[in-house]
């Protein structure tokens, strides 16, 4: 964050700690429990919120240099983002135009990274029949060319998808008509102080959960549950004196770490860029960026194959150059954060889903869970306003 934003945030949180308060919504919200179980709504959400809406899939630093690429699964769609030798950014369906195999499948990641789909390559050779594509998407190699009379290689390059960098993040559209340029303009100032232009992924894991994707988002945007669900991990460390900000549909939910109030005794000009807090930034429709004093984490959350399933891609990044020490630190942070999610948050969300599957008719979001209520309004409004 910019220093003036750091100071403003710090003042707000110190006031809440001193007064034993937190940002509150106007009133509790009662939500229809069928939003977690209805198959027709599930299909509509996937169409409107994921196929028609720009998707954040990475940090700008992951494709900062010519030759860089990232290969990601985005709600089941294989996506390849590249920067060609001239520095132009591209996105493609990661599928060979011959028979559909992922062309990035056999390209190695950058050494030291795990599961990130990040690397550097000038060309991508399909492992099925050897069709080869440049990182500009052009079909440059077609083995046994005489066997394909009438097939014009110029018409069989990788299929392009919309892509842009916005607010320091990589944004793609899963359909050619999705407008991604300036998709996160509302966040440009809010994210200006985060060095996403140089942030690189280090390790990524996929988790398949037995709960609706919205429950997988909800667990990140309130701290009311911390003293109860997180008794073995962060209870007593993360405090429920949070602040909530919105920029259009997007949110920032931030809570202090114990000892935050000691900043009141430090001159504001000396406050660190990373305050002792957990800063949770959620971007429409379901990408969660979590910043703490040590770690930077991205959760890409998607619907599963039915209403009570979801997919979470958890990626730990680093602001520092990719060196042995920064990679080791990111890996350690990943394991620490994963423990909280895998042993407490994910099972909690799955248990909630069982209640809705059993017929629980509603969910309540209290005034101290205003970001939860906000996101359900955003998703509901998007469905209501879309033509389907």
């Amino acid at each position: 964050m910019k220093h003036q934003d750091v100071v403003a945030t710090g003042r707000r949180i110190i006031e809440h700690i001193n007064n034993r308060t937190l940002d509150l919504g106007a009133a509790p919200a009662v939500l229809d429990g069928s939003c977690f179980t209805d198959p027709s709504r599930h299909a509509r959400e996937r169409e409107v919120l994921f196929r028609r809406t720009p998707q954040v899939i990475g940090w700008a630093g992951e494709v900062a240099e010519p030759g860089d690429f990232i290969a990601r699964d985005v709600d089941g769609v294989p996506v390849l983002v590249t920067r060609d030798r001239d520095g132009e950014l591209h996105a493609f369906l990661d599928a060979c135009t011959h028979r559909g195999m992922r062309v990035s499948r056999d390209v190695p990641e950058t050494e030291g990274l795990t599961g990130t789909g990040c690397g550097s390559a000038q060309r991508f050779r399909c492992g099925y029949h050897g069709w080869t594509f440049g990182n500009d998407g052009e079909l440059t190699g077609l083995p046994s060319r005489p066997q394909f009379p009438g097939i014009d290689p110029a018409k069989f390059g990788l299929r392009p998808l919309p892509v842009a960098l916005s607010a320091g993040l990589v944004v793609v559209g899963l359909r050619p008509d999705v407008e991604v340029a300036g998709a996160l303009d509302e966040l440009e100032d809010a994210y200006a102080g985060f060095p996403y232009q140089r942030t690189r992924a280090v390790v990524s894991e996929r988790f398949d959960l037995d709960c609706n994707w919205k429950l997988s988002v909800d667990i990140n945007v309130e701290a009311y549950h911390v003293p109860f669900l997180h008794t073995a991990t962060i209870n007593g460390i993360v405090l429920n004196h949070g602040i909530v900000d919105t920029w259009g549909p997007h949110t920032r939910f931030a809570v202090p770490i114990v000892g935050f109030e000691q900043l009141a005794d430090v001159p504001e000009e000396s406050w660190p860029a990373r305050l002792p807090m957990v800063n949770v930034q959620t971007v429409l429709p379901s990408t969660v960026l979590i910043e703490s004093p040590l770690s930077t984490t991205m959760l890409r959350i998607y619907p599963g194959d039915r209403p009570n399933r979801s997919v979470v891609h958890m990626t730990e990044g680093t602001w520092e150059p990719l060196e042995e020490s920064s990679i080791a630190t990111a890996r350690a942070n990943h394991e620490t954060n994963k423990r909280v999610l895998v042993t407490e948050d994910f099972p909690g969300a799955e248990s909630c889903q069982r209640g809705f599957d059993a017929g629980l008719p509603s969910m309540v979001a209290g005034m101290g869970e205003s970001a939860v209520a906000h996101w359900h309004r955003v998703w509901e409004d998007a469905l209501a306003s879309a033509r389907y």
Side-chain angles (χ1 to χ4, degrees):
M1 292 183 286
K2 296 178 180 178
H3 189 70
Q4 62 265 34
D5 297 328
V6 169
V7 170
T9 297
R11 288 173 178 170
R12 287 171 65 189
I13 290 180
I14 288 171
E15 182 176 359
H16 277 317
I17 294 173
N18 290 339
N19 295 326
R20 297 184 179 181
T21 55
L22 69 158
D23 281 3
L24 297 175
V30 180
L31 309 169
D32 190 335
S34 69
C35 75
F36 305 115
T37 61
D38 181 9
S40 62
R41 179 187 171 111
H42 182 71
R44 183 169 166 79
E45 287 174 344
R46 172 160 273 155
E47 169 65 22
V48 173
L49 293 169
F50 294 90
R51 293 302 186 269
R52 301 184 191 176
T53 301
Q55 304 292 313
V56 171
I57 69 164
W59 296 284
E62 297 180 81
V63 284
E65 300 296 331
D68 283 351
F69 74 87
I70 54 176
R72 300 275 155 84
D73 180 285
V74 186
D75 188 29
V77 178
V79 173
L80 176 65
V81 177
T82 68
R83 196 175 284 279
D84 66 24
R85 68 181 63 192
D86 296 323
E88 185 176 353
L89 192 68
H90 305 271
F92 308 102
L93 186 64
D94 189 1
C96 179
T97 51
H98 175 221
R99 298 278 285 277
M101 179 178 280
R102 286 176 51 236
V103 298
S104 69
R105 192 183 70 137
D106 296 328
V107 182
E109 289 186 307
T110 297
E111 185 177 356
L113 308 187
T114 304
T116 63
C118 294
S120 180
Q122 298 301 317
R123 61 187 58 85
F124 299 86
R125 183 176 181 271
C126 178
Y128 199 177
H129 297 95
W131 283 35
T132 303
F133 304 84
N135 57 12
D136 59 359
E138 295 293 323
L139 176 58
T140 60
L142 198 169
S144 304
R145 176 72 178 86
Q147 297 178 20
F148 295 88
I151 298 298
D152 182 358
K155 296 180 180 179
F156 283 85
L158 295 175
R159 295 301 184 245
L161 294 173
V163 65
L165 300 182
S166 192
L169 301 169
V170 181
V171 185
V172 300
L174 298 184
R175 289 186 177 157
D177 59 348
V178 176
E179 180 59 52
V180 298
L184 305 181
D185 278 353
E186 295 158 307
L187 296 173
E188 289 287 351
D189 288 340
Y191 289 7
F194 294 102
Y196 293 153
Q197 300 290 346
R198 68 172 191 265
T199 301
R200 303 289 300 272
V202 173
V203 57
S204 187
E205 289 189 67
R206 169 179 169 147
F207 301 93
D208 293 274
L209 305 186
D210 292 330
C211 65
N212 187 270
W213 67 274
K214 296 183 293 297
L215 290 173
S216 296
V217 175
D218 289 345
I219 58 177
N220 298 284
V221 293
E222 51 88 4
Y224 181 33
H225 70 280
V226 169
F228 312 101
L229 190 62
H230 293 303
T231 54
T233 56
I234 60 174
N235 181 39
I237 299 172
V238 172
L239 307 177
N240 189 20
H241 298 295
I243 60 173
V244 176
D245 295 296
T246 60
W247 297 273
H250 318 293
T251 60
R252 187 270 295 269
F253 167 69
V255 287
I257 292 172
V258 66
F260 189 105
E261 70 281 358
Q262 295 173 12
L263 283 176
D265 300 324
V266 178
E268 291 178 350
E269 61 270 19
S270 299
W271 284 5
R274 280 186 158 181
L275 294 174
M277 67 181 188
V278 180
N279 192 74
V280 181
Q281 302 166 154
T282 307
V283 181
L284 185 72
S286 58
T287 297
V288 182
L289 306 164
I290 306 173
E291 304 289 345
S292 78
L294 293 176
S295 65
T296 185
T297 309
M298 179 180 292
L299 304 178
R300 295 185 294 115
I301 300 169
Y302 303 119
D305 61 355
R306 65 194 79 174
N308 57 3
R309 302 286 190 274
S310 59
V311 176
V312 178
H313 297 269
M314 178 184 181
T315 303
E316 185 66 26
T318 179
W319 297 358
E320 304 301 327
L322 287 178
E323 298 173 348
E324 184 176 347
S325 60
S326 62
I327 290 174
T329 297
R331 288 183 179 279
N333 291 335
H334 176 75
E335 292 302 319
T336 298
N337 295 334
K338 184 173 74 171
R339 180 184 172 222
V340 177
L341 288 171
V342 171
T343 65
E344 294 172 334
D345 282 313
F346 291 167
E350 291 176 327
S351 182
C352 292
Q353 181 67 49
R354 287 193 287 275
F356 296 113
D357 284 343
L360 188 68
S362 62
M363 182 182 89
V364 180
M367 294 168 64
E369 302 164 276
S370 61
V372 173
H374 168 89
W375 275 109
H376 282 268
R377 285 195 302 270
V378 165
W379 296 321
E380 196 70 41
D381 290 348
L383 298 181
S385 62
R387 299 182 63 183
Y388 183 63

